[in-house]
Amino acid sequence: MDFLDVPGVGTYEDFNTIDWVREKSRDRDRHREILSKSKESTWALLHSVSDAFSGWLLMLLIGLFAGSLAGLIDISSHWMTDLKEGICVDEFWLTQEQCCWKSENVTFENPNDCPKWRSWSQLLLNQSEGAFPYIVNYILYILWALFFSLLAVLLVRNFAPYACGSGIPEIKTILSGFIIRGYLGKWTLIIKTITLGLAVSSGLSLGKEGPLIHVACCCGNILCHLFTKYRRNEAKRREVLSAAAAAGVSVAFGAPIGGVLFSLEEVSYYFPMKTLWRSFFAALVAAFTLRSINPFGNSRLVLFYVEFHTPWHLLELIPFILLGIFGGLWGAFFIRANIAWCKRRKTTKLGRYPVLEVLAVTAITAVLAFPNEYTRISSSELISELFNDCSLLDSSKLCDYKNDDVNTTNGGILPDRPASKGVYTALWQLSLALIFKAVITIFTFGMKVPSGLFIPSMAVGAIMGRLMGISVEQLAYYHHDWAIFKGWCSQGADCITPGLYAMVGAAACLGGATRMTVSLVVIMFELTGGLEYIVPLMAAAMTSKWVADALGRESIYDAHIHLNGYPFLEAKEEFSHKTLAMDVMRPRHNDPSLTVLTQDSMTVGDIEAAINETTYSGFPIVVSRESQRLVGFVLRRDLIISIESARKKQDGIVSASRIYFSEYTPPQPPTSPASLKLRTIMDLSPFTITDQTPMEIVVDIFRKLGLRQCLVTHNGRLLGIITKKDVLKHIAQMANQDPDSILFN
């Protein structure tokens, strides 16, 4: 009986780590077999071609699904966000912008004069001005926000608990080889798609960009089941998930190249060249699909696409670097504060009442957000307004400059102008919005609703950037004769673009929280379409990373991985301690001896007893207990399934039946029960090291080969075993942390 064909053999249990070496080896064997058979018949050749093409077809499907779902989420969240303030009377399914497209009353001076769009006070009281209509609008804004967030948290709690949060820490862990069943399942996908729009529309300080990566990875995981080579091989499936993550960023920001780089830099553990090309294709298809849906009606993939026309000057690098420092400080502060709050949630009664927590934070957010027009609108719209380069017809307060003696003959480019009352009002409102967003995001990220961090971080940075941009602009206008401005910022010239400062600030804060660098800069320039602003973005991103790293090495995602105890071996961290394999391996000096199986002297009953008495994930196989010479390694799950299957399907298998892991079975007396050969389920090439191997080499081996365990020998005799969990415990111990903190709970 070939036990490799038994369903379940070669698979892994929930919350276990895969063996990358074994999975890659199995895929190579499968590939060799297909190639050798392809020369035998036309049908086998077609099978070989379809096998090679299946990866590209899978990428096409992932791109189509990710783009379609992103379009659906964008359209629904935009409509529900507007629903909090009013409704389109004739066609209720339209957003405010769509409702007013055909209205002749809407002009640049009066953008809100739209008879078809009615606020709730106009609808209920037939009034729009005054204290009572304001209170009615205020109350309905809070009620809609509470309704959306309540619906989101109830759906998550009752149908898909894994649909909460951003999903990036878990996806990083899954891509490193850990198995969390259901995390990328169909229920998680359905509930996350529905609740993401609800959570964003509730006005909470969160974004949809991080969760869109989770949605795309769910699509990738579900579609993998259509293809045998991805369904049966965990390592191949992780290559697909890396490409799906790229497609997720592609639709989140309209940045296909940035998506590929994000997957490579931030989430992927194993990223071969083949995956790079496929990621690029998936990201391209996803962006094209979203562009075809056109969710914002402006042929753009994101709400805050901007174009700047004024070149930047070398001296402006000083404020850009200052924004980088602010981004790094805010990122480090946010990570510490958020992790402290999440620990409190985990260890106190607060964690038992997720619905009440969400409702309380939503109520506080809505009550404080409504009075300030910059916090009342969605974070994406706020970023769009902050990135905006003012034109002469802009009615925004941020563009309320004195336009006396403005000369617009210079290609329509406006010179720097003195700020008017509207700009000063906007400045203090933005200052309040900055404090509000920076504080409320700490309590929002990590709640039991889908919540991304990209948009809140960018909003904080964009507010700070715009404040600094306007300050520098006014300084240059009133003091253009200062030495710092001489020669490049004369009176009547357009030399400072506040929107550019907002963009640089957004990049700095996002970099401070996530520690992204290359992918961040590429995402930002794909957002803005401005190649000439790469240097300011690079300066801000690097400064922000250096400052944040000086205050704490972990990004927000790594911090959440450690908080949740996921067994993630960070590839970027250096291990510099002088310990040896014998210091880490089990069993230790005073422990019971290592549980091993012998190749030809144990019965079914003996092995079942060993399985029942221990909780180990696998057992080394030796020639005999006296020699302790290593033969191979067998997984507990494979043993259990194979013995159960043999008892059902093979005649004469009883507890007294002898089990053989050896190549040849000696002749049996006629009276003895049938023997069981389990050599096929054994790993004949387990990774071994000697007891004197330095731990820095062992850590490197685990990182680069993705091992699940390795066996320790001394003069050829088996001595002990080191698992991935032992390595993580040892690293935690060396860093003076609790070694049990890495145990997944």
Side-chain angles (χ1 to χ4, degrees):
M1 183 177 179
D2 187 0
F3 289 100
L4 285 178
D5 294 333
V6 174
V9 169
T11 60
Y12 302 91
E13 290 178 336
D14 204 3
F15 307 127
N16 270 258
T17 303
I18 71 165
D19 191 329
W20 285 87
V21 176
R22 181 172 103 155
E23 295 295 306
K24 295 304 289 179
S25 171
R26 280 166 57 182
D27 184 59
R28 278 194 295 272
D29 292 344
R30 184 197 64 81
H31 190 61
R32 265 195 294 268
E33 189 184 349
I34 288 172
L35 279 181
S36 64
K37 283 183 179 176
S38 66
K39 295 163 189 170
E40 294 171 10
S41 67
T42 313
W43 175 250
L45 180 66
L46 285 171
H47 178 59
S48 171
V49 171
S50 72
D51 183 73
F53 181 67
S54 62
W56 295 100
L57 178 60
L58 182 54
M59 294 304 126
L60 177 72
L61 292 172
I62 288 169
L64 289 170
F65 273 82
S68 304
L69 290 174
L72 178 71
I73 290 164
D74 282 340
I75 291 165
S76 61
S77 61
H78 205 171
W79 177 74
M80 286 188 287
T81 301
D82 283 352
L83 192 63
K84 288 189 300 184
E85 295 191 44
I87 196 165
C88 190
V89 180
D90 298 337
E91 297 155 302
F92 70 90
W93 58 88
L94 296 181
T95 63
Q96 184 175 1
E97 190 181 2
Q98 292 164 341
C99 187
C100 300
W101 270 342
K102 293 177 186 173
S103 177
E104 293 172 3
N105 300 39
V106 177
T107 60
F108 280 106
E109 288 79 19
N110 298 309
N112 297 321
D113 186 9
C114 174
K116 286 186 178 180
W117 180 265
R118 310 288 297 275
S119 69
W120 293 111
S121 63
Q122 286 175 317
L123 210 62
L124 299 172
L125 307 172
N126 221 10
Q127 287 178 292
S128 59
E129 302 295 325
F132 193 50
Y134 180 84
I135 291 165
V136 168
N137 285 335
Y138 200 161
I139 290 167
L140 276 157
Y141 180 91
I142 295 166
L143 290 176
W144 276 115
L146 288 169
F147 172 68
F148 291 146
S149 64
L150 177 66
L151 199 54
V153 72
L154 288 176
L155 284 170
V156 168
R157 194 186 70 167
N158 294 324
F159 294 102
Y162 283 150
C164 66
S166 79
I168 294 177
E170 287 77 10
I171 285 164
K172 275 186 83 164
T173 311
I174 289 168
L175 288 177
S176 77
F178 195 56
I179 287 177
I180 309 176
R181 297 222 185 279
Y183 198 83
L184 301 173
K186 59 180 183 295
W187 273 110
T188 306
L189 174 64
I190 294 164
I191 298 301
K192 191 132 194 173
T193 305
I194 296 166
T195 55
L196 183 49
L198 289 166
V200 170
S201 309
S202 69
L204 286 165
S205 184
L206 47 82
K208 59 179 180 293
E209 281 63 22
L212 273 174
I213 298 166
H214 187 186
V215 166
C217 286
C218 286
C219 292
N221 184 57
I222 291 163
L223 291 166
C224 275
H225 288 85
L226 301 176
F227 303 89
T228 313
K229 77 171 177 182
Y230 295 108
R231 183 173 68 242
R232 290 187 178 175
N233 194 295
E234 293 288 351
K236 293 293 287 178
R237 193 183 302 187
R238 273 149 185 75
E239 290 177 28
V240 173
L241 295 178
S242 289
V249 177
S250 173
V251 291
F253 289 106
I257 302 167
V260 176
L261 289 172
F262 175 84
S263 181
L264 175 61
E265 181 185 5
E266 195 61 32
V267 294
S268 292
Y269 199 81
Y270 173 70
F271 203 85
M273 191 58 75
K274 185 167 59 176
T275 306
L276 181 74
W277 302 329
R278 288 183 176 170
S279 301
F280 185 70
F281 179 63
L284 169 77
V285 174
F288 176 77
T289 307
L290 188 62
R291 171 70 177 74
S292 306
I293 294 169
N294 195 12
F296 302 111
N298 58 2
S299 301
R300 302 291 183 203
L301 299 183
V302 282
L303 200 57
F304 39 85
Y305 184 91
V306 284
E307 285 180 282
F308 302 126
H309 305 288
T310 314
W312 60 279
H313 192 270
L314 193 64
L315 287 169
E316 286 185 277
L317 277 178
I318 298 165
F320 293 153
I321 287 168
L322 289 174
L323 284 171
I325 293 169
F326 170 78
L329 292 171
W330 183 80
F333 160 74
F334 170 77
I335 291 166
R336 288 192 180 185
N338 179 251
I339 291 299
W341 178 252
C342 289
K343 272 183 185 167
R344 187 175 176 80
R345 182 188 290 130
K346 262 180 160 338
T347 54
T348 61
K349 287 183 180 179
L350 182 67
R352 295 183 207 162
Y353 307 105
V355 178
L356 284 177
E357 185 194 4
V358 169
L359 288 176
V361 173
T362 307
I364 293 165
T365 305
V367 167
L368 296 176
F370 188 83
N372 186 339
E373 65 182 273
Y374 291 110
T375 48
R376 188 188 311 169
I377 56 176
S378 73
S379 296
S380 295
E381 287 175 43
L382 171 63
I383 293 168
S384 178
E385 188 155 331
L386 294 167
F387 281 9
N388 184 34
D389 194 11
C390 288
S391 69
L392 200 58
L393 295 170
D394 263 322
S395 61
S396 163
K397 276 186 193 171
L398 284 169
C399 298
D400 185 18
Y401 291 91
K402 292 174 184 168
N403 292 318
D404 311 335
D405 308 321
V406 169
N407 177 20
T408 55
T409 55
N410 184 18
I413 295 172
L414 289 169
D416 287 346
R417 298 161 287 162
S420 192
K421 186 184 173 187
V423 174
Y424 291 118
T425 307
L427 285 177
W428 71 259
Q429 283 184 325
L430 283 174
S431 303
L432 291 174
L434 175 70
I435 297 163
F436 170 70
K437 289 271 181 195
V439 172
I440 204 72
T441 309
I442 292 165
F443 302 99
T444 309
F445 188 69
M447 287 197 310
K448 296 300 175 195
V449 288
S451 54
L453 184 64
F454 284 27
I455 289 293
S457 303
M458 286 173 71
V460 168
I463 295 169
M464 189 65 198
R466 189 78 188 205
L467 292 173
M468 185 175 279
I470 293 170
S471 306
V472 174
E473 180 191 44
Q474 294 306 300
L475 199 66
Y477 179 81
Y478 287 110
H479 302 283
H480 54 85
D481 51 344
W482 282 9
I484 196 168
F485 297 119
K486 263 188 181 170
W488 67 280
C489 197
S490 56
Q491 193 167 15
D494 178 25
C495 37
I496 309 290
T497 309
L500 172 61
Y501 284 72
M503 188 178 87
V504 171
C509 280
L510 184 53
T514 62
R515 309 297 157 86
M516 289 154 57
T517 49
V518 183
S519 54
L520 172 64
V521 171
V522 174
I523 286 169
M524 292 306 288
F525 100 72
E526 282 188 270
L527 270 180
T528 55
L531 275 168
E532 61 186 300
Y533 303 114
I534 280 187
V535 174
L537 288 168
M538 286 170 78
M542 277 318 303
T543 309
S544 127
K545 181 172 168 57
W546 285 333
V547 171
D549 278 350
L551 298 169
R553 298 288 296 171
E554 292 181 326
S555 72
I556 184 68
Y557 303 128
D558 294 334
H560 273 270
I561 284 170
H562 288 150
L563 178 70
N564 292 326
Y566 298 134
F568 181 74
L569 203 50
E570 180 57 73
K572 298 166 195 164
E573 294 287 326
E574 288 293 324
F575 184 85
S576 53
H577 303 281
K578 290 185 175 179
T579 47
L580 300 174
M582 63 188 296
D583 302 324
V584 180
M585 70 171 199
R586 288 180 299 162
R588 303 282 166 82
H589 299 299
N590 302 323
D591 292 349
S593 60
L594 187 67
T595 305
V596 294
L597 309 180
T598 56
Q599 68 171 357
D600 55 11
S601 62
M602 292 182 82
T603 63
V604 169
D606 295 337
I607 287 181
E608 283 179 332
I611 289 168
N612 293 331
E613 287 165 13
T614 63
T615 56
Y616 306 132
S617 296
F619 302 94
I621 295 163
V622 293
V623 175
S624 66
R625 293 189 192 280
E626 294 74 36
S627 74
Q628 289 287 313
R629 298 187 78 80
L630 187 64
V631 177
F633 190 85
V634 67
L635 290 178
R636 174 196 192 89
R637 180 180 172 84
D638 291 355
L639 266 180
I640 293 169
I641 292 169
S642 299
I643 291 171
E644 277 179 8
S645 180
R647 278 187 183 274
K648 286 175 190 170
K649 296 177 183 175
Q650 207 170 315
D651 292 336
I653 299 296
V654 291
S655 294
S657 297
R658 187 70 60 92
I659 288 184
Y660 290 100
F661 293 101
S662 51
E663 197 166 352
Y664 304 106
T665 312
Q668 299 289 312
T671 53
S672 65
S675 61
L676 182 58
K677 283 195 76 173
L678 293 181
R679 189 177 176 82
T680 51
I681 66 166
M682 181 173 66
D683 179 7
L684 289 164
S685 53
F687 205 93
T688 56
I689 54 171
T690 69
D691 57 339
Q692 295 300 308
T693 308
M695 268 312 288
E696 56 189 327
I697 293 175
V698 176
V699 170
D700 241 16
I701 290 168
F702 269 88
R703 275 182 189 148
K704 289 174 180 170
L705 293 179
L707 294 184
R708 180 185 163 111
Q709 74 278 316
C710 74
L711 302 171
V712 185
T713 60
H714 177 73
N715 294 340
R717 287 165 58 88
L718 180 67
L719 203 64
I721 185 169
I722 297 177
T723 64
K724 188 176 181 181
K725 207 165 271 186
D726 295 327
V727 172
L728 287 160
K729 275 186 174 182
H730 184 65
I731 291 171
Q733 219 165 356
M734 292 291 108
N736 295 321
Q737 294 168 355
D738 176 16
D740 289 330
S741 66
I742 62 96
L743 293 176
F744 177 61
N745 181 5

